[in-house]
């Protein structure tokens, strides 16, 4: 069935906005803005192929929507606002991502019409402050984690493809200067949000994101970038990249590099997992960008915090895919008959599924705790590293258990568990690409 991208995106938002108690909770205006921005994105007629990133207005200061702030008590129960955003993302994942995942994995790319539908949901607009005509009145890492988890329950590769531009917008929101936000962030609230990606990972053994081999050399009013970035989502169609690089003074910066920058080349790089994300490799050879394209200007950005937020995003994606594995395996074990009874009646099977559920709850709660600390303005990089370690180790184990419990069915593409297993293996090695 062919769905109109505009119609589907607006249908999701309007279905949520139609809840009779929405106005009573005071959330109606925010969803009105989402529908408005979804309409603008859906009815876009122009293409972004020749987009020029120029500030359409002058900002006196960068827009920084307030964080969620401390709740006073440790409570990870989603607010009504967060629950409705998660519901919209979950419905989109269940109705659209799940059914398109197998073909996208085979093609190593997400369908254009599906990505247009995702853009029509207006998620990127949530990362744009109202001063730039966006829908973001508040920025929350917990909200981002809930949305990422819901989308990954449909398919992790497609979720990464949908969220790559949102991640770049989040980084611009947190650290971009007024000029950078006016030029690069404002278009995310426009009629056709740009495609962008964060490029951190490099093809090196034991790669450490805080010691990149890619270098940034200041030369007058330009910065020369040299190095290779790998596993960049949607690299082939991204309009600009946020590239981490080491400076001569020993610091690390993030630089905005547009796709037509001389010296920047892009190669398709399919991987074992996340194939639907359209991963690619950036080669930077004497690629020169304006000095003003350093994210955050002379003050730079907190790269350690950027990496921590990226790790939390991957934790949320692992939780969503892990939940998909658990749900699928549970139904399979209850339906599959052996020796006259469901295989779930066997202790070895039941205990394995119970272990999957326990580890899944652990990695999810660790990620939520770290995200809640980030929203409260407290140190969270250690907690993010712990959560990422749990997600990398136990997420892969959940995928492996899923394949084993399905037996021969777990090894064939007729069932989605083998694809989810390949995607979950990526969590432990991915850096960048996603950011809350």
């Amino acid at each position: 069935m062919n769905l109109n991208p505009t119609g589907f995106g607006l249908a999701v938002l309007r279905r949520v906005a139609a809840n009779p108690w929405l106005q009573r909770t005071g959330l109606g205006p925010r969803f009105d803005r989402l529908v408005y921005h979804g309409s603008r994105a859906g009815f876009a007629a122009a293409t972004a192929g020749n987009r020029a990133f120029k500030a359409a207005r002058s900002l006196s200061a960068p827009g920084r929507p307030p964080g969620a702030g401390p709740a006073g008590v440790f409570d990870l129960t989603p607010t009504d606002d967060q629950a409705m955003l998660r519901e919209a993302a979950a419905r989109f994942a269940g109705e659209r991502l799940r059914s398109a995942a197998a073909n996208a994995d085979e093609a190593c790319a997400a369908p254009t019409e599906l990505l247009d539908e995702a853009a029509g949901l207006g998620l990127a607009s949530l990362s744009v402050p109202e001063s730039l005509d966006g829908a973001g009145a508040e920025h929350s890492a917990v909200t981002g984690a809930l949305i990422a988890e819901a989308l990954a329950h449909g398919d992790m590769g497609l979720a990464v493809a949908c969220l790559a531009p949102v991640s770049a917008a989040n980084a611009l929101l947190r650290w971009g200067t007024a000029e950078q936000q006016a030029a690069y962030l404002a278009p995310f609230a426009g009629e056709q949000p740009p495609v962008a990606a964060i490029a951190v990972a490099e093809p090196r053994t034991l790669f450490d994101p805080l010691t990149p081999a890619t270098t940034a050399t200041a030369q007058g009013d330009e910065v020369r970038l040299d190095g290779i970035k790998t596993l960049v989502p949607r690299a082939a169609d991204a309009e600009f990249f946020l590239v981490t690089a080491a400076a001569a003074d020993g610091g690390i910066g993030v630089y905005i590099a547009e796709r037509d920058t001389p010296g920047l080349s892009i190669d398709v790089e399919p991987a074992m997992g996340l194939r639907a994300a359209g991963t690619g490799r950036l080669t930077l050879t004497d690629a020169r960008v304006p000095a003003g394209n350093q994210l955050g200007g002379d003050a730079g950005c907190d790269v350690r915090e950027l990496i921590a937020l990226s790790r939390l995003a991957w934790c949320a994606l692992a939780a969503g895919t892990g939940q998909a594995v658990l749900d699928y395996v549970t139904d399979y074990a209850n339906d599959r008959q052996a020796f006259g009874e469901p295989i779930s009646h066997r202790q070895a099977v039941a205990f394995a599924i119970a272990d999957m559920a326990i580890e899944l709850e652990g990695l999810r709660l660790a990620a939520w705790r770290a995200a809640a600390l980030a929203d409260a303005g407290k140190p969270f990089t250690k907690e993010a590293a712990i959560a990422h370690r749990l997600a990398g180790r136990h997420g892969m184990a959940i995928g492996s258990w899923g394949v084993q419990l399905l037996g021969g069915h777990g090894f064939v593409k007729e069932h989605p568990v083998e694809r989810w297993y390949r995607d979950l293996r990526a969590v432990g090695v991915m850096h960048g690409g996603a950011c809350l």
Side-chain angles (χ1 to χ4, degrees):
M1 180 176 64
N2 292 325
L3 294 178
N4 177 274
T6 301
F8 184 83
L10 295 181
V12 172
L13 290 174
R14 285 173 177 158
R15 195 178 304 174
V16 176
N19 288 328
W21 48 270
L22 186 62
Q23 298 298 330
R24 294 199 301 271
T25 61
L27 299 176
R30 183 166 188 179
F31 276 87
D32 289 341
R33 291 197 299 273
L34 283 176
V35 173
Y36 165 72
H37 288 289
S39 301
R40 293 178 64 188
F43 284 108
T47 64
N50 297 315
R51 189 196 310 268
F53 290 99
K54 296 181 179 179
R57 70 182 73 182
S58 178
L59 299 179
S60 59
R64 306 272 192 247
V73 294
F74 184 72
D75 183 9
L76 294 178
T77 304
T79 65
D80 291 336
D81 196 354
Q82 291 171 334
M84 282 185 290
L85 287 170
R86 179 172 62 178
E87 179 186 343
R91 184 171 293 130
F92 178 70
E95 294 178 359
R96 297 295 290 130
L97 299 190
R98 182 66 66 91
S99 60
N103 289 337
D105 181 79
E106 185 70 22
C108 293
T112 301
E113 62 274 12
L114 187 66
L115 295 174
D116 289 342
E117 292 172 18
L121 289 175
L123 295 179
S125 182
L126 292 173
S127 300
V128 183
E130 293 178 338
S131 60
L132 290 172
D133 298 328
E138 177 182 280
H139 187 74
S140 168
V142 172
T143 302
L146 293 174
I147 292 172
E149 180 178 338
L151 290 176
H153 190 267
D155 181 72
M156 185 188 289
L158 289 175
V160 172
C162 294
L163 292 175
V166 180
S167 299
N170 285 340
L172 286 163
L173 174 66
R174 285 182 176 270
W175 295 290
T177 64
E179 294 77 11
Q180 291 166 353
Q181 288 190 352
Y184 293 98
L185 181 59
F188 285 96
E191 294 181 343
Q192 191 169 17
V195 179
I198 301 175
V200 175
E202 297 178 351
R204 294 190 291 121
T205 303
L206 300 178
F207 168 69
D208 180 355
L210 296 178
T211 58
T214 301
T215 59
T217 306
Q219 295 186 340
D221 58 355
E222 293 182 326
V223 174
R224 189 187 75 201
L225 300 176
D226 294 281
I228 299 175
K229 295 295 183 179
T230 188
L231 296 174
V232 181
R234 297 186 67 179
D237 57 344
E239 297 171 61
F240 69 88
F241 304 92
L242 301 182
V243 181
T244 59
D249 62 2
I252 308 173
V254 178
Y255 300 86
I256 305 170
E258 298 182 21
R259 71 171 294 114
D260 59 355
T261 299
L264 186 154
S265 62
I266 303 169
D267 297 297
V268 177
E269 187 182 45
M272 173 184 176
L274 300 177
R275 295 169 68 84
T279 53
R281 173 179 293 213
L282 301 186
T283 301
L284 300 139
T285 306
D286 195 17
R288 298 172 183 267
V289 300
N293 276 25
Q294 180 178 352
L295 186 64
D298 293 337
C301 78
D302 190 336
V303 177
R304 188 177 296 274
E305 185 172 312
L306 172 68
I307 298 302
L309 291 169
S310 175
R311 286 171 170 167
L312 290 182
W314 286 106
C315 290
L317 292 165
T321 304
Q323 187 67 56
V325 174
L326 177 62
D327 294 344
Y328 195 93
V329 168
T330 301
D331 290 341
Y332 181 91
N334 286 331
D335 294 339
R336 181 74 171 175
Q337 297 283 326
F339 305 104
E341 63 180 358
I343 63 173
S344 60
H345 290 184
R346 305 285 172 156
Q347 280 191 346
V349 174
F351 287 177
I353 293 176
D355 285 341
M356 292 169 65
I358 291 169
E359 302 299 353
L360 178 62
E361 286 299 313
L363 70 89
R364 175 186 286 123
L365 289 175
W368 283 6
R369 175 172 176 263
L373 289 173
D375 285 347
K378 298 179 180 179
F380 70 97
T381 54
K382 181 185 76 173
E383 288 75 12
I386 292 172
H388 188 249
R389 177 63 171 164
L390 288 174
R393 175 185 296 176
H394 298 300
M396 183 175 63
I398 289 170
S400 179
W401 287 333
V403 170
Q404 294 181 56
L405 288 172
L406 263 67
H409 287 164
F411 198 68
V412 297
K413 294 185 180 296
E414 178 184 353
H415 297 268
V417 177
E418 64 85 23
R419 183 179 70 251
W420 294 336
Y421 169 60
R422 289 188 283 108
D423 289 345
L424 283 166
R425 287 191 67 90
V427 173
V429 300
M430 287 296 293
H431 299 280
C435 178
L436 298 182

